[in-house]
Amino acid sequence: MSKVLKIISHSEKETLALGKKLAAMIKEPNVAVLSGELGAGKTVFVKGLAEGLGVKTEKVLSPTFNFVHEYHGEKNLYHFDLYRLSNISELTEIGWDDYLEKDGLVVVEWGEKAGAFLPQKYYLISFKMVSENEREINVELVG
Ligand SMILES: Nc1ncnc2c1ncn2[C@@H]1O[C@H](COP(=O)(O)OP(=O)(O)OP(=O)(O)O)[C@@H](O)[C@H]1O
Ligand SMILES: [Mg+2]
């Protein structure tokens, strides 16, 4: 596991901007696992990614049904949220393996729940709550 970067975000706006900036960087591997407690800023970061990819959507919301939302832009964004995943077999049902083969960017909130189903190489982006508006964000390359 190699550390790519560590930053402190002081606001939602800064986390959005980070996502926007990193959108172009996350390729080979094109999968990012977002980990961190409820309200840590994972979805905010995904909104930034969507902006960075030129995705035309009014809203980026956390996927609840089927665990995934697809956004089509210059590059497609596949946004998973596995918080409600109760059994790993549900991943097979939604075609997880096919998503991993796609060209676009695959971003997975609570992605650590995919366990052995994660690809060999992926970015791990961890969000830690430092204070009400501060988040420590670490980007690492796994595998
Ligand atoms: N520096 C910051 N970066 C991101 N969000 C922040 C920051 N400071 C405060 N916030 C607030 O924290 C909340 C983050 O919510 P968000 O939905 O992104 O969390 P999440 O990690 O996706 O949680 P969940 O696990 O429930 O999906 C928002 O209400 C946002 O305004
Ligand atoms: Mg979320």
Side-chain angles (χ1 to χ4, degrees):
M1 185 133 82
S2 57
K3 175 125 338 164
V4 179
L5 84 127
K6 167 184 172 158
I7 73 136
I8 301 283
S9 160
H10 302 89
S11 64
E12 175 169 344
K13 223 173 142 183
E14 275 187 33
T15 301
L16 266 172
L18 180 71
K20 194 170 173 183
K21 196 166 130 193
L22 295 193
M25 196 199 85
I26 305 171
K27 50 185 172 195
E28 292 167 55
N30 63 337
V31 178
V33 165
L34 307 187
S35 116
E37 59 191 293
L38 293 167
K42 300 180 296 296
T43 301
V44 168
F45 180 83
V46 176
K47 285 179 189 168
L49 288 179
E51 261 190 60
L53 295 178
V55 164
K56 285 181 188 59
T57 177
E58 299 88 76
K59 286 189 207 141
V60 170
L61 297 170
S62 262
T64 42
F65 299 105
N66 303 321
F67 307 108
V68 60
H69 276 166
E70 299 188 12
Y71 303 104
H72 301 276
E74 290 152 31
K75 202 168 156 189
N76 293 340
L77 177 65
Y78 304 99
H79 177 200
F80 286 83
D81 188 332
L82 302 185
Y83 183 66
R84 287 167 210 281
L85 191 80
S86 50
N87 193 306
I88 199 90
S89 67
E90 291 170 297
L91 280 182
T92 325
E93 285 161 31
I94 57 168
W96 172 256
D97 288 340
D98 298 332
Y99 280 104
L100 294 182
E101 299 292 308
K102 290 192 194 283
D103 258 352
L105 200 162
V106 177
V107 61
V108 196
E109 294 189 44
W110 295 96
E112 62 271 25
K113 292 186 79 177
F117 282 69
L118 287 171
Q120 278 196 326
K121 270 182 100 170
Y122 58 89
Y123 284 100
L124 174 62
I125 308 180
S126 328
F127 296 76
K128 276 181 222 141
M129 294 173 100
V130 180
S131 69
E132 194 186 340
N133 292 308
E134 284 173 310
R135 304 291 187 268
E136 182 187 315
I137 304 171
N138 281 283
V139 181
E140 287 152 293
L141 188 54
V142 177

mmCIF file of all heavy atoms in Angstrom, residues 119-138:
data_model
loop_
_atom_site.group_PDB
_atom_site.id
_atom_site.type_symbol
_atom_site.label_atom_id
_atom_site.label_comp_id
_atom_site.label_asym_id
_atom_site.label_seq_id
_atom_site.Cartn_x
_atom_site.Cartn_y
_atom_site.Cartn_z
ATOM 1 N N PRO A 119 -11.055 -5.333 -6.717
ATOM 2 C CA PRO A 119 -10.036 -5.705 -7.706
ATOM 3 C C PRO A 119 -8.650 -5.760 -7.062
ATOM 4 O O PRO A 119 -8.473 -5.326 -5.920
ATOM 5 C CB PRO A 119 -10.128 -4.574 -8.741
ATOM 6 C CG PRO A 119 -10.716 -3.425 -8.011
ATOM 7 C CD PRO A 119 -11.606 -3.998 -6.949
ATOM 8 N N GLN A 120 -7.685 -6.265 -7.809
ATOM 9 C CA GLN A 120 -6.323 -6.383 -7.266
ATOM 10 C C GLN A 120 -5.720 -5.038 -6.925
ATOM 11 O O GLN A 120 -4.951 -4.919 -5.993
ATOM 12 C CB GLN A 120 -5.440 -7.100 -8.287
ATOM 13 C CG GLN A 120 -5.589 -8.612 -8.221
ATOM 14 C CD GLN A 120 -4.447 -9.300 -8.942
ATOM 15 O OE1 GLN A 120 -3.947 -8.788 -9.938
ATOM 16 N NE2 GLN A 120 -4.030 -10.444 -8.431
ATOM 17 N N LYS A 121 -6.062 -4.047 -7.746
ATOM 18 C CA LYS A 121 -5.520 -2.710 -7.526
ATOM 19 C C LYS A 121 -6.646 -1.696 -7.450
ATOM 20 O O LYS A 121 -7.568 -1.730 -8.272
ATOM 21 C CB LYS A 121 -4.614 -2.313 -8.714
ATOM 22 C CG LYS A 121 -3.170 -2.695 -8.539
ATOM 23 C CD LYS A 121 -2.340 -2.219 -9.716
ATOM 24 C CE LYS A 121 -1.605 -0.937 -9.402
ATOM 25 N NZ LYS A 121 -0.605 -0.585 -10.460
ATOM 26 N N TYR A 122 -6.598 -0.829 -6.468
ATOM 27 C CA TYR A 122 -7.590 0.242 -6.374
ATOM 28 C C TYR A 122 -7.052 1.368 -5.497
ATOM 29 O O TYR A 122 -6.087 1.175 -4.739
ATOM 30 C CB TYR A 122 -8.918 -0.292 -5.805
ATOM 31 C CG TYR A 122 -8.820 -0.941 -4.446
ATOM 32 C CD1 TYR A 122 -8.955 -0.200 -3.275
ATOM 33 C CD2 TYR A 122 -8.578 -2.312 -4.328
ATOM 34 C CE1 TYR A 122 -8.861 -0.802 -2.027
ATOM 35 C CE2 TYR A 122 -8.469 -2.923 -3.079
ATOM 36 C CZ TYR A 122 -8.616 -2.164 -1.946
ATOM 37 O OH TYR A 122 -8.506 -2.757 -0.707
ATOM 38 N N TYR A 123 -7.675 2.524 -5.612
ATOM 39 C CA TYR A 123 -7.346 3.615 -4.705
ATOM 40 C C TYR A 123 -8.216 3.482 -3.469
ATOM 41 O O TYR A 123 -9.407 3.165 -3.574
ATOM 42 C CB TYR A 123 -7.621 4.977 -5.361
ATOM 43 C CG TYR A 123 -6.572 5.355 -6.377
ATOM 44 C CD1 TYR A 123 -6.789 5.179 -7.740
ATOM 45 C CD2 TYR A 123 -5.351 5.886 -5.965
ATOM 46 C CE1 TYR A 123 -5.827 5.523 -8.671
ATOM 47 C CE2 TYR A 123 -4.377 6.233 -6.886
ATOM 48 C CZ TYR A 123 -4.618 6.052 -8.237
ATOM 49 O OH TYR A 123 -3.655 6.392 -9.148
ATOM 50 N N LEU A 124 -7.605 3.703 -2.320
ATOM 51 C CA LEU A 124 -8.358 3.723 -1.069
ATOM 52 C C LEU A 124 -8.329 5.156 -0.554
ATOM 53 O O LEU A 124 -7.261 5.713 -0.301
ATOM 54 C CB LEU A 124 -7.707 2.781 -0.048
ATOM 55 C CG LEU A 124 -8.307 2.802 1.365
ATOM 56 C CD1 LEU A 124 -9.776 2.349 1.347
ATOM 57 C CD2 LEU A 124 -7.507 1.896 2.311
ATOM 58 N N ILE A 125 -9.498 5.756 -0.462
ATOM 59 C CA ILE A 125 -9.581 7.138 0.005
ATOM 60 C C ILE A 125 -10.333 7.133 1.334
ATOM 61 O O ILE A 125 -11.515 6.771 1.388
ATOM 62 C CB ILE A 125 -10.267 8.034 -1.054
ATOM 63 C CG1 ILE A 125 -9.561 7.843 -2.418
ATOM 64 C CG2 ILE A 125 -10.237 9.504 -0.624
ATOM 65 C CD1 ILE A 125 -10.123 8.655 -3.563
ATOM 66 N N SER A 126 -9.617 7.464 2.402
ATOM 67 C CA SER A 126 -10.214 7.401 3.747
ATOM 68 C C SER A 126 -10.504 8.793 4.267
ATOM 69 O O SER A 126 -9.686 9.702 4.123
ATOM 70 C CB SER A 126 -9.278 6.718 4.735
ATOM 71 O OG SER A 126 -8.506 5.746 4.117
ATOM 72 N N PHE A 127 -11.658 8.924 4.878
ATOM 73 C CA PHE A 127 -12.129 10.200 5.420
ATOM 74 C C PHE A 127 -12.228 10.094 6.931
ATOM 75 O O PHE A 127 -12.925 9.216 7.441
ATOM 76 C CB PHE A 127 -13.518 10.529 4.850
ATOM 77 C CG PHE A 127 -13.519 10.741 3.369
ATOM 78 C CD1 PHE A 127 -13.445 9.654 2.504
ATOM 79 C CD2 PHE A 127 -13.589 12.015 2.835
ATOM 80 C CE1 PHE A 127 -13.426 9.836 1.127
ATOM 81 C CE2 PHE A 127 -13.580 12.209 1.460
ATOM 82 C CZ PHE A 127 -13.492 11.119 0.610
ATOM 83 N N LYS A 128 -11.511 10.985 7.610
ATOM 84 C CA LYS A 128 -11.598 10.994 9.074
ATOM 85 C C LYS A 128 -12.152 12.326 9.528
ATOM 86 O O LYS A 128 -11.707 13.381 9.084
ATOM 87 C CB LYS A 128 -10.214 10.776 9.701
ATOM 88 C CG LYS A 128 -9.836 9.321 9.801
ATOM 89 C CD LYS A 128 -8.465 9.136 10.465
ATOM 90 C CE LYS A 128 -7.666 8.080 9.726
ATOM 91 N NZ LYS A 128 -6.246 8.386 9.605
ATOM 92 N N MET A 129 -13.109 12.280 10.453
ATOM 93 C CA MET A 129 -13.675 13.522 10.976
ATOM 94 C C MET A 129 -12.750 14.075 12.045
ATOM 95 O O MET A 129 -12.501 13.423 13.050
ATOM 96 C CB MET A 129 -15.062 13.257 11.550
ATOM 97 C CG MET A 129 -16.046 12.851 10.471
ATOM 98 S SD MET A 129 -17.619 12.330 11.116
ATOM 99 C CE MET A 129 -18.589 13.779 10.889
ATOM 100 N N VAL A 130 -12.241 15.274 11.799
ATOM 101 C CA VAL A 130 -11.337 15.909 12.750
ATOM 102 C C VAL A 130 -12.135 16.845 13.653
ATOM 103 O O VAL A 130 -11.949 16.887 14.866
ATOM 104 C CB VAL A 130 -10.220 16.685 12.011
ATOM 105 C CG1 VAL A 130 -9.277 17.354 12.992
ATOM 106 C CG2 VAL A 130 -9.449 15.758 11.068
ATOM 107 N N SER A 131 -13.012 17.597 13.052
ATOM 108 C CA SER A 131 -13.907 18.481 13.799
ATOM 109 C C SER A 131 -15.151 18.655 12.941
ATOM 110 O O SER A 131 -15.271 18.022 11.893
ATOM 111 C CB SER A 131 -13.236 19.826 14.074
ATOM 112 O OG SER A 131 -13.083 20.530 12.862
ATOM 113 N N GLU A 132 -16.047 19.539 13.357
ATOM 114 C CA GLU A 132 -17.298 19.685 12.622
ATOM 115 C C GLU A 132 -17.067 19.892 11.119
ATOM 116 O O GLU A 132 -17.745 19.302 10.290
ATOM 117 C CB GLU A 132 -18.101 20.854 13.201
ATOM 118 C CG GLU A 132 -19.541 20.850 12.717
ATOM 119 C CD GLU A 132 -20.316 22.081 13.155
ATOM 120 O OE1 GLU A 132 -19.888 22.744 14.132
ATOM 121 O OE2 GLU A 132 -21.331 22.374 12.515
ATOM 122 N N ASN A 133 -16.093 20.724 10.789
ATOM 123 C CA ASN A 133 -15.872 21.050 9.376
ATOM 124 C C ASN A 133 -14.541 20.598 8.809
ATOM 125 O O ASN A 133 -14.232 20.883 7.665
ATOM 126 C CB ASN A 133 -16.032 22.560 9.162
ATOM 127 C CG ASN A 133 -17.467 22.999 9.364
ATOM 128 O OD1 ASN A 133 -18.388 22.433 8.759
ATOM 129 N ND2 ASN A 133 -17.679 23.957 10.239
ATOM 130 N N GLU A 134 -13.769 19.905 9.613
ATOM 131 C CA GLU A 134 -12.467 19.445 9.121
ATOM 132 C C GLU A 134 -12.479 17.939 8.902
ATOM 133 O O GLU A 134 -12.979 17.186 9.725
ATOM 134 C CB GLU A 134 -11.366 19.790 10.118
ATOM 135 C CG GLU A 134 -10.963 21.250 10.115
ATOM 136 C CD GLU A 134 -9.981 21.527 11.244
ATOM 137 O OE1 GLU A 134 -10.272 21.132 12.395
ATOM 138 O OE2 GLU A 134 -8.932 22.101 10.970
ATOM 139 N N ARG A 135 -11.885 17.550 7.793
ATOM 140 C CA ARG A 135 -11.758 16.131 7.479
ATOM 141 C C ARG A 135 -10.337 15.844 7.052
ATOM 142 O O ARG A 135 -9.787 16.564 6.222
ATOM 143 C CB ARG A 135 -12.691 15.766 6.293
ATOM 144 C CG ARG A 135 -14.163 16.113 6.502
ATOM 145 C CD ARG A 135 -14.807 15.258 7.562
ATOM 146 N NE ARG A 135 -16.245 15.483 7.642
ATOM 147 C CZ ARG A 135 -16.825 16.359 8.455
ATOM 148 N NH1 ARG A 135 -16.080 17.108 9.249
ATOM 149 N NH2 ARG A 135 -18.138 16.478 8.480
ATOM 150 N N GLU A 136 -9.756 14.774 7.593
ATOM 151 C CA GLU A 136 -8.453 14.323 7.101
ATOM 152 C C GLU A 136 -8.728 13.308 6.000
ATOM 153 O O GLU A 136 -9.454 12.332 6.216
ATOM 154 C CB GLU A 136 -7.652 13.675 8.240
ATOM 155 C CG GLU A 136 -6.265 13.225 7.782
ATOM 156 C CD GLU A 136 -5.513 12.440 8.848
ATOM 157 O OE1 GLU A 136 -5.501 12.853 10.029
ATOM 158 O OE2 GLU A 136 -4.958 11.391 8.486
ATOM 159 N N ILE A 137 -8.176 13.568 4.839
ATOM 160 C CA ILE A 137 -8.423 12.689 3.691
ATOM 161 C C ILE A 137 -7.100 12.096 3.224
ATOM 162 O O ILE A 137 -6.162 12.824 2.912
ATOM 163 C CB ILE A 137 -9.123 13.460 2.551
ATOM 164 C CG1 ILE A 137 -10.429 14.097 3.075
ATOM 165 C CG2 ILE A 137 -9.423 12.537 1.365
ATOM 166 C CD1 ILE A 137 -11.096 15.071 2.106
ATOM 167 N N ASN A 138 -7.027 10.790 3.243
ATOM 168 C CA ASN A 138 -5.826 10.076 2.817
ATOM 169 C C ASN A 138 -6.112 9.288 1.549
ATOM 170 O O ASN A 138 -7.110 8.567 1.473
ATOM 171 C CB ASN A 138 -5.386 9.086 3.899
ATOM 172 C CG ASN A 138 -4.639 9.795 5.021
ATOM 173 O OD1 ASN A 138 -3.471 10.149 4.872
ATOM 174 N ND2 ASN A 138 -5.329 10.053 6.113
#
